[in-house]
Amino acid sequence: MSAQRILAFKTGQLLRMDQVRIGTATVNFSRQTIEGDAGSFSVEPMVLEVLRALMARPGEVVPREALIDQVWGVSFGGDERLSRAISLLRKALGEDARHNRCIETIPKRGYRLLVTPVETGAIDQAVSDTAEPPTSTAAPPKPLSRRVMAAIGALLILATVALIHSLAGAGWLGPAMQGLVPIGAGTDDASNRNSIAVLPFTDLSPTGDQGYLADGLTEEILDAIMKFPELRVVGRTSSFRYQARDIDPRRIGADLNSQFLLVGSLRKQDARLRVAAQLIEAEGGRIVWSQTFEGSIERIFEFQESIARSIASELGVAIAAKDRVLPSVTGNQEAYELFLQGRDLSRRFGRDNKRSSIRLLEQAVERDPTFALAWAWLGQTKLLMAITEEPVAARALVNQARSAVDKAKAIDPGIAMGHFLEAVLHDYDLDFAASIDAMERAYAADPNQPYLIIRRGRSYAMLGQLDKAERLIEDGLRRDPTDATGIFNLSRIKLAQGKLDEAYRLAIRSRDLGFVPATPTICMIRKLQGKDQAARECWMALPDEIVDRYRPPFNDREAWGQIGATFTDRDERSRQLVLAILQDHFGQPDPKVNNYLMDLYLRAGPPELFMGEFIEHPYSGSSSMVASMWINEPHYTNLRRHPAFPAFAERLGLVRAWEKYGWPPQCRKTGNNSPGQITFNCS
């Protein structure tokens, strides 16, 4: 095969180049590196997947939505992840900031790879769906190269796991981790015992359009076995990262600190359904349990129940014959499929996906008005839509979400998601006492759910209970180690505790996992570490998605520079200019409000102005601003010490929450207090 072979398609399957040259840089996919004139860079897997997607169509414009959907398949934050990935690729490829020779931005459309990739190494062909499994299962000898070992590992699993042709896997451990390992990881850790990761079932349907059904089946099984306290089940965020690229159970088990893997496939043709599942011991690839289920599509609930019950039993959980493992979500098959399609689109990027999701979820609850989980997801999707809408439309969506959540809770008072969304709505109402009450109810309803453990920790961070928040979030991350938002929240806690180096490493890790809002915190930490020049460079290099959060009041480059001078240099003239711009902005009817603008307002002006605007203009995500108040930066400290802060905290429900859940170390009661008349001060 020619060393100059150009990337191409072969029978519809993209050839998987292992090493290519793009311009003057060499990209090695297996080592996850890019080396060239700009130096040597370790590049995380998802960033390389963006490059692969561009390589598949050299010279063509690849839409942003297509890249996001192909690489992440996420909703909120997908645009930010893509922009950051493009920025990292350009840096590693040696692009000049003003002259892009390799990757061109097509405004409001997408990106184009300007250079045709040239292969310099071997091609690692993907395994096709129709490949016959090999007969040999021998393990590769140690002297073989990593790539050969990986290939033999793939053949091993194909022989023993014929139901799937690939198990996913971007695997976040590796060079991009900068020496970090998952919190609580380690094969000697007792938490590894009876631990299981449920990987996304593969859609093998002839039409290839039943991914939502395969994901739904996977998720119902995952949620069911997560209810058993005897098991440690890896959270969805981490297990669903493995998508049709990697078939090395030992590596996946090590990445996720998991002893067992549940893998499977789904094949739907007309009204017939075939589901195959296997429980694999990660360390040696041994199949512990295997079964295939066939029947009409209406039997999907029966199949889910059987798989979940079998897995729990194999792992030593005693289940009474009369007890159901999976809750009955709906008896209407059509409503269920509409729900799965709507939930899938709700998680995807873009307004159009959210609108389509709402339509499908509304149809689901029309078919079955008692479908509590569908009502809850309808509420969540409308809350997600509200984030990007103008204030009037956003308020209407929030009210509609509130109605949907109320219906979900009325149908099923124990629905964890309903109570979680109630907490989010209380945040919007600036009633943080009611918010943490609702979060406690959500946690009580599903105490093994990593997402809720992490978000519960964030609630305690909001109350200033930093040590408890730290313990909770670390527990959640042991169960779901790639929850980038959870890692970011832990970074902010370390920052508030004064542990700057730990906070910095965690913020970098969160950003590298795709949580772009971590980048301003990285700049802040650089400033607090005394690295002023690094802080300036960090600020000026923030991605467009972060810069956009400061618009419309700050539209031009000069205004952005003034923010930077206020943020990193504390320049007095810039501070006054920024304050004047913000006062004019907040004086308009229905101004745009978010954490970025509110934080800047607190930095630029006196605390009383911030407190007034914060109460005057409720917005989604305001609890993050409250959680930031415990960081020991001057503007936060001045806020806590301000004479008006006790009344402000009372208005937000913080005092009621402190009385119930404990006071933060920074605040002390003063004088003789009686119910309803509590005086205190904070440091």
Side-chain angles (χ1 to χ4, degrees):
M1 185 174 295
S2 169
Q4 298 296 309
R5 182 163 186 169
I6 304 302
L7 186 67
F9 285 95
K10 183 178 181 181
T11 63
Q13 178 67 52
L14 178 63
L15 296 178
R16 305 290 286 178
M17 289 186 179
D18 180 65
Q19 185 168 293
V20 299
R21 179 169 292 278
I22 297 178
T24 60
T26 298
V27 183
N28 190 305
F29 288 97
S30 61
R31 295 180 181 176
Q32 299 176 8
T33 61
I34 297 179
E35 298 181 2
D37 295 343
S40 179
F41 295 84
S42 294
V43 186
E44 62 203 77
M46 302 305 265
V47 174
L48 289 176
E49 288 305 314
V50 173
L51 182 58
R52 280 199 190 276
L54 293 172
M55 287 168 54
R57 296 166 61 180
E60 298 181 31
V61 178
V62 184
R64 291 181 66 90
E65 291 80 3
L67 288 167
I68 292 166
D69 190 52
Q70 179 177 335
V71 177
W72 292 282
V74 299
S75 52
F76 179 69
D79 207 26
E80 296 168 340
R81 297 179 189 189
L82 176 59
S83 292
R84 177 182 164 275
I86 294 294
S87 177
L88 291 174
L89 286 173
R90 282 174 170 159
K91 181 177 180 180
L93 293 171
E95 295 268 64
D96 182 271
R98 290 167 294 182
H99 303 95
N100 300 135
R101 302 184 307 274
C102 297
I103 300 175
E104 179 185 12
T105 299
I106 310 300
K108 299 183 179 181
R109 291 182 60 194
Y111 300 97
R112 174 163 49 204
L113 187 64
L114 300 174
V115 180
T116 301
V118 176
E119 185 183 16
T120 61
I123 295 178
D124 184 15
Q125 283 188 290
V127 182
S128 70
D129 290 352
T130 57
E132 290 293 325
T135 57
S136 173
T137 59
K142 291 183 179 179
L144 294 180
S145 70
R146 289 175 59 193
R147 291 189 63 250
V148 174
M149 289 176 69
I152 295 178
L155 296 177
L156 167 69
I157 302 305
L158 281 169
T160 58
V161 194
L163 60 105
I164 52 173
H165 65 277
S166 57
L167 297 178
W172 55 278
L173 290 177
M177 285 299 297
Q178 301 185 3
L180 289 170
V181 297
I183 295 171
T187 55
D188 296 331
D189 194 330
S191 67
N192 180 261
R193 297 169 194 160
N194 269 15
S195 56
I196 179 172
V198 181
L199 305 186
F201 279 39
T202 304
D203 173 26
L204 299 181
S205 304
T207 53
D209 59 354
Q210 299 298 308
Y212 71 90
L213 190 61
D215 284 352
L217 182 144
T218 309
E219 191 161 346
E220 302 303 335
I221 295 170
L222 187 154
D223 286 344
I225 63 175
M226 195 173 277
K227 298 290 194 297
F228 298 112
E230 302 96 323
L231 305 180
R232 185 182 69 81
V233 183
V234 175
R236 184 188 189 280
T237 304
S238 297
S239 61
F240 267 62
R241 282 181 174 267
Y242 291 82
Q243 295 278 353
R245 276 184 288 276
D246 200 343
I247 33 184
D248 182 353
R250 179 175 295 182
R251 172 172 162 265
I252 296 173
D255 281 3
L256 300 179
N257 193 26
S258 183
Q259 184 181 5
F260 298 98
L261 306 176
L262 178 65
V263 299
S265 68
L266 174 148
R267 181 183 178 90
K268 179 176 178 285
Q269 189 164 15
D270 299 326
R272 299 292 297 175
L273 186 67
R274 183 179 188 273
V275 177
Q278 290 185 334
L279 182 66
I280 300 174
E281 191 175 51
E283 178 63 24
R286 180 175 66 91
I287 298 175
V288 177
W289 168 89
S290 177
Q291 195 164 346
T292 299
F293 305 84
E294 292 192 66
S296 66
I297 183 66
E298 287 79 10
R299 297 185 65 190
I300 188 170
F301 303 117
E302 175 189 331
F303 297 165
Q304 291 170 346
E305 174 75 17
S306 296
I307 294 170
R309 180 178 288 271
S310 298
I311 295 306
S313 178
E314 288 291 336
L315 298 182
V317 179
I319 307 170
K322 63 181 179 61
D323 294 337
R324 277 190 59 84
V325 176
L326 269 76
S328 178
V329 292
T330 179
N332 187 307
Q333 179 63 35
E334 186 181 3
Y336 183 64
E337 292 204 42
L338 287 165
F339 162 71
L340 292 182
Q341 293 176 64
R343 183 171 66 178
D344 180 64
L345 287 171
S346 178
R347 286 173 166 148
R348 294 180 180 274
F349 168 79
R351 288 184 178 182
D352 289 344
N353 282 328
K354 294 292 187 295
R355 292 191 184 100
S356 297
S357 169
I358 289 171
R359 285 195 297 271
L360 289 163
L361 292 168
E362 287 175 340
Q363 291 174 37
V365 296
E366 285 174 8
R367 303 297 193 281
D368 181 2
T370 66
F371 196 166
L373 193 58
W375 280 113
W377 270 92
L378 180 59
Q380 172 154 299
T381 308
K382 291 191 174 185
L383 282 173
L384 290 171
M385 275 284 289
I387 292 173
T388 58
E389 296 296 319
E390 294 299 317
V392 173
R395 285 194 292 271
L397 284 166
V398 168
N399 288 333
Q400 293 166 22
R402 198 184 307 276
S403 175
V405 171
D406 287 345
K407 287 178 181 175
K409 289 169 52 205
I411 296 165
D412 181 2
I415 185 169
M417 185 177 182
H419 292 292
F420 168 74
L421 292 172
E422 182 187 3
V424 175
L425 288 163
H426 284 310
D427 288 349
Y428 188 88
D429 296 335
L430 300 181
D431 188 347
F432 296 106
S435 173
I436 194 168
D437 287 344
M439 183 62 71
E440 289 294 302
R441 290 193 293 272
Y443 171 74
D446 197 358
N448 295 322
Q449 176 63 252
Y451 181 88
L452 290 177
I453 296 171
I454 291 170
R455 271 56 186 180
R456 185 181 181 226
R458 182 179 174 279
S459 293
Y460 279 94
M462 179 182 69
L463 297 184
Q465 296 278 356
L466 300 179
D467 291 345
K468 183 170 185 176
E470 179 183 30
R471 290 193 299 272
L472 285 169
I473 294 177
E474 286 182 343
D475 181 30
L477 290 174
R478 273 188 284 270
R479 302 164 188 255
D480 200 353
T482 63
D483 186 321
T485 307
I487 294 169
F488 173 68
N489 287 327
L490 185 59
S491 170
R492 300 284 287 190
I493 290 170
K494 300 289 187 182
L495 180 57
Q497 293 171 331
K499 301 173 183 177
L500 299 184
D501 291 344
E502 290 182 59
Y504 178 73
R505 287 195 294 269
L506 287 164
I508 291 288
R509 178 177 171 185
S510 175
R511 182 205 64 189
D512 287 350
L513 285 169
F515 191 66
V516 177
T519 50
T521 294
I522 294 170
C523 303
M524 179 199 301
I525 297 171
R526 280 313 206 195
K527 175 67 178 177
L528 293 174
Q529 289 174 325
K531 302 180 184 296
D532 292 354
Q533 183 58 34
R536 292 186 197 100
E537 293 173 357
C538 176
W539 180 262
M540 297 310 294
L542 287 175
D544 290 343
E545 282 66 31
I546 298 299
V547 176
D548 285 344
R549 306 293 172 91
Y550 292 89
R551 298 184 176 118
F554 301 94
N555 285 316
D556 56 38
R557 197 68 182 171
E558 181 181 354
W560 182 247
Q562 290 168 355
I563 299 176
T566 303
F567 184 87
T568 60
D569 298 329
R570 295 174 184 163
D571 178 76
E572 180 59 23
R573 181 176 176 277
S574 295
R575 183 193 68 79
Q576 291 179 1
L577 288 169
V578 165
L579 178 60
I581 292 171
L582 285 172
Q583 285 182 298
D584 181 65
H585 173 70
F586 286 124
Q588 298 174 10
D590 267 341
K592 172 186 174 182
V593 184
N594 57 34
N595 281 321
Y596 297 84
L597 292 173
M598 290 306 302
D599 184 78
L600 183 60
Y601 201 38
L602 181 58
R603 289 175 182 275
E608 59 268 23
L609 289 181
F610 162 82
M611 288 185 278
E613 294 296 347
F614 190 86
I615 291 172
E616 181 70 20
H617 302 293
Y619 62 94
S620 178
S622 57
S623 59
S624 295
M625 188 69 226
V626 177
S628 297
M629 294 189 314
W630 308 106
I631 296 173
N632 287 320
E633 263 209 290
H635 57 292
Y636 296 128
T637 305
N638 292 338
L639 172 66
R640 298 196 302 266
R641 292 174 177 171
H642 195 276
F645 181 73
F648 177 66
E650 176 68 42
R651 166 62 183 81
L652 299 182
L654 291 175
V655 176
R656 283 184 290 124
W658 290 335
E659 284 288 277
K660 185 172 183 178
Y661 297 103
W663 283 71
Q666 295 95 327
C667 300
R668 293 287 184 272
K669 294 183 183 180
T670 58
N672 296 319
N673 294 288
S674 59
Q677 293 183 337
I678 299 172
T679 60
F680 66 94
N681 57 46
C682 299
S683 61

